[in-house]
Amino acid sequence: DDISELLRKNKNLPEIDVEIRPDDVASICVTSGTSGASKLVVVTEENYAFAINAQSKMFKLEGEPMQLLPLHHSFGLVPSMLVVYNYGYTNFIAKSIKSFIKDLHTVRPKALALVPLFVEKMYKQVMDNARKRGIEKKMARAMKISDFLLKYGIDLRRRLFKDIHRAFGRNLEVIICGGAALRPELVKDFRTWGIEIVQGYGATECTPVIAMNRNEYNRAGSVGIALPDTEIKLSEDGEILVKGPHVMREYYGDPEQTAQTLVDGWYHTGDYGKFDEDNFLYIVGRKKNLIILSNGENVSPEELELEISKDLAVNEVLVYDKDNLIIAEIFPEEEYLGNKEHFDAVVAKINNEQPSYKRIAKVILRDTEFIKNSSKKIVRSKNIT
């Protein structure tokens, strides 16, 4: 109303005639810099226009969503905000982490946009509540029954797991998730409860989505299939390369870095990946994070981190090498702070299932959380000394 009144009072304002060209700079975005220095990504009008339409084609949103994401980040801005507007929906933004559950009950959204950190916390909240109430075995039986009935088209999930749905606002049907790896068994359990997790993969340099799962074409553990008109291939060493209209124009003021990252039109992601027989993409690890031991063996720390994080006592974990030894540094859940015996046992069990070169040599417990960026991802460069 204030803006309308201002325009009425200023009838003689000059008309602004702007021609928008596809290659015009729309924004300059800062990368998260989890494993190195942040870079300035030049995103064009064409990048945004293509990204919004392509992502809208991949996923059908039904109902107004809520998000708990930083809006200055590409994931928070494009798939979680601009794409929602393209669907014609209102988007609700949670006030803060502390008010998240309260906001869920106020908004009662059908969809949530979250980074894996918060999905993990939701999962652990459900499992912890079941343990405290002494109903773990009962819930496990209900999950087996639910999965069995679904094979015959009988869906009783909202009735069998009504307490879980009530805890998350009653209407939640889907969680849109990206930004880091998510355990396949977690995705499967949420599906058993009646909440689908649609996981995707991307980079700020690709505005940001490269691949994503779909409503009815969804594979746990995978980050989905390529967006329309997007090419994805693997280099000889397994690095994910991307080409498409959503790939950035350049790094601002850094032609050398641009030339290293954009080669013959292919964006080099710095991530290792693999495809299954149906062209679903799986992320194996980050090139810069790869542990190369003195015996020549390569170890992906993300793979070990996912295994360790399965334990409900683990809040956060970081795996790295020091003096040619693989270290697991863990920030426990509050009731397990200082309980090194528990985590030594967790790691010993994992080691028994690994080849000798992949085994974790030492467990370190910390009493404070890891340093994270604004996207709630652990910044390795600041946590590994």
Side-chain angles (χ1 to χ4, degrees):
D1 291 341
D2 292 340
I3 294 174
S4 299
E5 182 63 26
L6 181 64
L7 291 173
R8 281 195 294 270
K9 289 180 179 178
N10 293 274
K11 294 179 181 179
N12 297 323
L13 287 173
E15 292 186 8
I16 301 174
D17 185 16
V18 178
E19 179 186 356
I20 298 176
R21 295 175 295 273
D23 200 43
D24 283 347
V25 177
S27 67
I28 297 178
C29 302
V30 182
T31 61
S32 58
T34 54
S35 56
S38 294
K39 296 177 283 290
L40 300 176
V41 178
V42 176
V43 187
T44 67
E45 296 287 350
E46 181 185 20
N47 292 155
Y48 276 118
F50 172 82
I52 292 167
N53 283 290
Q55 291 166 38
S56 297
K57 291 175 183 176
M58 291 289 286
F59 175 73
K60 184 179 180 182
L61 180 66
E62 296 179 338
E64 294 174 332
M66 188 178 90
Q67 66 161 305
L68 179 63
L69 293 168
L71 299 183
H72 59 273
H73 186 268
S74 196
F75 178 34
L77 175 64
V78 185
S80 304
M81 185 65 70
L82 299 180
V83 170
V84 172
Y85 295 154
N86 195 44
Y87 289 126
Y89 285 116
T90 299
N91 201 353
F92 293 90
I93 304 171
K95 293 178 182 177
S96 66
I97 296 173
K98 290 182 179 180
S99 68
F100 176 60
I101 297 298
K102 181 181 177 183
D103 293 340
L104 268 180
H105 288 271
T106 301
V107 175
R108 295 188 176 185
K110 284 194 172 183
L112 280 175
L114 298 172
V115 292
L117 174 69
F118 295 126
V119 179
E120 284 277 0
K121 289 187 180 297
M122 290 172 70
Y123 180 77
K124 287 181 177 179
Q125 178 183 335
V126 171
M127 302 305 288
D128 195 44
N129 285 342
R131 180 178 59 82
K132 288 178 179 177
R133 293 170 59 192
I135 60 169
E136 288 174 290
K137 291 183 179 179
K138 182 180 178 182
M139 188 168 80
R141 285 195 299 271
M143 290 173 71
K144 287 182 180 180
I145 292 169
S146 175
D147 289 340
F148 176 79
L149 292 175
L150 279 173
K151 292 178 182 179
Y152 298 94
I154 303 171
D155 190 352
L156 298 179
R157 291 177 294 178
R158 301 194 77 84
R159 187 186 304 176
L160 288 171
F161 307 106
K162 59 183 178 181
D163 288 347
I164 295 174
H165 288 274
R166 188 182 297 117
F168 297 140
R170 299 179 184 271
N171 296 327
L172 186 60
E173 295 178 358
V174 63
I175 297 173
I176 303 161
C177 185
L182 198 60
R183 294 184 283 124
E185 59 270 26
L186 185 150
V187 177
K188 290 175 182 176
D189 285 353
F190 266 96
R191 183 178 294 158
T192 297
W193 300 334
I195 300 170
E196 196 69 44
I197 294 180
V198 177
Q199 195 172 8
Y201 163 69
T204 305
E205 290 87 343
C206 295
T207 328
V209 179
I210 294 169
M212 64 183 293
N213 282 286
R214 310 186 74 173
N215 301 70
E216 304 297 332
Y217 199 46
N218 195 337
R219 195 154 295 176
S222 167
V223 292
I225 58 176
L227 262 61
D229 300 314
T230 298
E231 296 179 70
I232 304 177
K233 68 178 182 179
L234 304 180
S235 68
E236 288 186 4
D237 67 347
E239 183 182 1
I240 300 168
L241 311 181
V242 184
K243 182 184 283 188
H246 54 330
V247 174
M248 68 167 185
R249 190 171 79 184
E250 62 186 339
Y251 289 120
Y252 180 76
D254 197 341
E256 183 178 341
Q257 185 67 53
T258 301
Q260 291 176 8
T261 306
L262 289 175
V263 182
D264 297 327
W266 289 92
Y267 167 63
H268 289 235
T269 65
D271 293 317
Y272 289 120
K274 62 181 180 180
F275 290 101
D276 66 13
E277 65 279 4
D278 297 315
N279 284 323
F280 276 84
L281 178 64
Y282 296 77
I283 308 303
V284 177
R286 184 77 178 153
K287 198 171 184 178
K288 287 183 179 179
N289 300 341
L290 194 68
I291 297 172
I292 303 175
L293 301 172
S294 60
N295 60 5
E297 297 286 1
N298 295 343
V299 178
S300 169
E302 292 92 346
E303 184 182 344
L304 293 173
E305 287 163 2
L306 279 176
E307 286 299 315
I308 295 170
S309 66
K310 290 178 182 179
D311 189 83
L312 295 178
V314 177
N315 191 323
E316 298 170 0
V317 59
L318 198 63
V319 171
Y320 55 89
D321 70 307
K322 189 172 184 179
D323 300 326
N324 207 41
L325 296 175
I326 299 176
I327 310 295
E329 191 167 342
I330 298 170
F331 174 48
E333 293 290 344
E334 187 174 358
E335 60 190 282
Y336 286 88
L337 285 170
N339 189 347
K340 192 167 183 298
E341 185 179 346
H342 173 86
F343 297 103
D344 283 339
V346 169
V347 168
K349 185 177 179 181
I350 293 170
N351 281 343
N352 287 336
E353 300 170 355
Q354 302 290 340
S356 58
Y357 71 89
K358 272 190 179 182
R359 290 176 184 167
I360 296 163
K362 185 178 181 180
V363 176
I364 297 174
L365 294 190
R366 55 189 290 145
D367 54 11
T368 58
E369 63 182 74
F370 289 98
I371 299 169
K372 303 182 194 67
N373 62 19
S374 58
S375 305
K376 300 302 177 184
K377 290 190 282 188
I378 293 173
V379 183
R380 289 181 181 269
S381 58
K382 292 184 179 180
N383 286 285
I384 301 175
T385 56

